[in-house]
Amino acid sequence: MEISASQVMELRKITSLSMMECKKALTESAGDFDKAIALLRERGLKKVAERSGNQTPNGRIFIAKNGARTAMVGIGCETEPVTATDDFKMLGDAASKIAAGMATPTPDAIKDSVAPGGSRKFGELLDDVLNRIREKIVITQAGACEGNVASYIHHNGMVGVLVEFNQACPPALGNDVCMHIAAMQPRCLKREEADPADVARERENFMKEVQGKPANIMEQIVNGKMSRWYSEFVLLDQPFVKDDKKSVQQTLTDAVKGLTINRYLRFKIGV
């Protein structure tokens, strides 16, 4: 069957694939567009499947808001140029908007959900993009916070932060706290969340260092050492990045009485 140039152009417009691929698919499907599209998708996804073991060190963070809920997702890909494509941005925007409609978003739940403004699932949109780009693209992380939330995406687009406060926080301070978290990479919010085994080990080591001193002096010294240890990785105990003479919690308290952090999320592409 003779395939016309106009047919090839029409299929290329639909799929954004090369003229050669479109002509080959139309020839094999005897001019049937639906069959040709199915062939192209099957071939594209087969090529993507071959790359399934590849790393995704590049990508971007996306944030969206829906009422009182703010969601954040990470979309990873193999190469930096892909992040500048309209397809990649479309996926990120769609995934973050879907996540903002969920209390506890996950990558799998997002893939199975209907994309905004249409009847197709996000997973189907992803398959179409994979068919065009032929590179591994995955949702790496997803999460959401509710209520009084501050958000931040680093200038490189690869680090994002959400902070959920227990009450309204001045916008400038909320942004500063987000940037602090992006830079200082706390491992947990408060001391109670530290690994009990790590806490016991550190306290034991510090006790050995002060053996021979009076019991009350030993306790004071050990407590001081523990406080400094906590300040290395516990967010509320860390010295605030814009004023290291105060902890993050003290900075919040000084700004608004009773202000503290309920939870936070820090996402980074490539880890």
Side-chain angles (χ1 to χ4, degrees):
M1 178 181 177
E2 185 69 25
I3 302 299
S4 68
S6 61
Q7 287 176 296
V8 176
M9 287 296 292
E10 185 177 352
L11 184 58
R12 185 176 189 276
K13 185 177 180 181
I14 294 171
T15 63
S16 298
L17 295 174
S18 70
M19 297 283 285
M20 184 179 297
E21 287 180 292
C22 290
K23 183 174 182 179
K24 184 178 180 182
L26 282 168
T27 300
E28 292 181 19
S29 62
D32 186 310
F33 270 72
D34 289 336
K35 289 182 179 179
I37 291 171
L39 277 173
L40 289 170
R41 180 175 289 117
E42 181 181 345
R43 287 170 182 164
L45 294 180
K46 183 178 180 181
K47 290 182 179 180
V48 171
E50 293 170 355
R51 305 175 72 96
S52 62
N54 291 8
Q55 298 297 310
T56 54
N58 294 285
R60 290 291 182 270
I61 301 293
F62 295 84
I63 292 175
K65 188 175 177 63
N66 184 345
R69 184 179 299 124
T70 304
M72 180 167 65
V73 299
I75 307 290
C77 59
E78 295 179 46
T79 61
E80 173 64 23
V82 167
T83 66
T85 64
D86 290 340
D87 275 334
F88 188 86
K89 294 173 184 176
M90 178 274 293
L91 288 176
D93 289 339
S96 60
K97 288 176 181 176
I98 292 171
M102 301 175 173
T104 54
T106 65
D108 286 341
I110 292 170
K111 287 182 68 175
D112 289 338
S113 297
V114 174
S119 58
R120 303 182 70 202
K121 289 186 176 181
F122 179 85
E124 295 176 294
L125 296 182
L126 178 60
D127 285 346
D128 285 347
V129 171
L130 295 177
N131 192 39
R132 289 191 289 271
I133 293 180
R134 307 290 172 85
E135 179 172 308
K136 184 178 178 180
I137 300 175
V138 293
I139 303 174
T140 58
Q141 297 164 293
C145 292
E146 296 196 37
N148 300 289
V149 179
S151 62
Y152 170 76
I153 297 178
H154 195 52
H155 64 80
N156 65 3
M158 298 180 71
V159 176
V161 176
L162 296 183
V163 181
E164 180 183 302
F165 296 95
N166 67 328
Q167 57 180 296
C169 176
L173 178 57
N175 188 66
D176 286 344
V177 172
C178 286
M179 289 194 291
H180 171 101
I181 293 169
M184 303 309 293
Q185 306 178 45
R187 299 203 302 268
C188 56
L189 174 62
K190 49 192 176 182
R191 295 185 181 191
E192 292 77 10
E193 296 175 359
D195 187 319
D198 290 342
V199 173
R201 183 188 64 249
E202 292 300 319
R203 179 169 286 279
E204 181 180 359
N205 289 338
F206 291 145
M207 288 294 291
K208 290 178 181 177
E209 292 176 6
V210 296
Q211 285 297 319
K213 297 183 181 295
N216 62 324
I217 300 299
M218 287 177 59
E219 190 65 20
Q220 290 177 19
I221 295 174
V222 169
N223 287 343
K225 288 177 177 288
M226 289 299 295
S227 292
R228 287 191 291 276
W229 178 70
Y230 280 123
S231 71
E232 295 174 5
F233 65 93
V234 175
L235 173 57
L236 294 178
D237 282 88
Q238 285 184 323
F240 189 45
V241 73
K242 295 192 75 172
D243 181 0
D244 61 10
K245 292 182 174 56
K246 295 181 180 180
S247 67
V248 171
Q249 180 56 69
Q250 187 60 55
T251 301
L252 296 175
T253 302
D254 288 350
V256 180
K257 184 178 180 180
L259 179 63
T260 192
I261 298 170
N262 290 337
R263 60 192 296 260
Y264 73 92
L265 299 175
R266 182 187 185 276
F267 290 171
K268 186 179 187 301
I269 295 294
V271 295

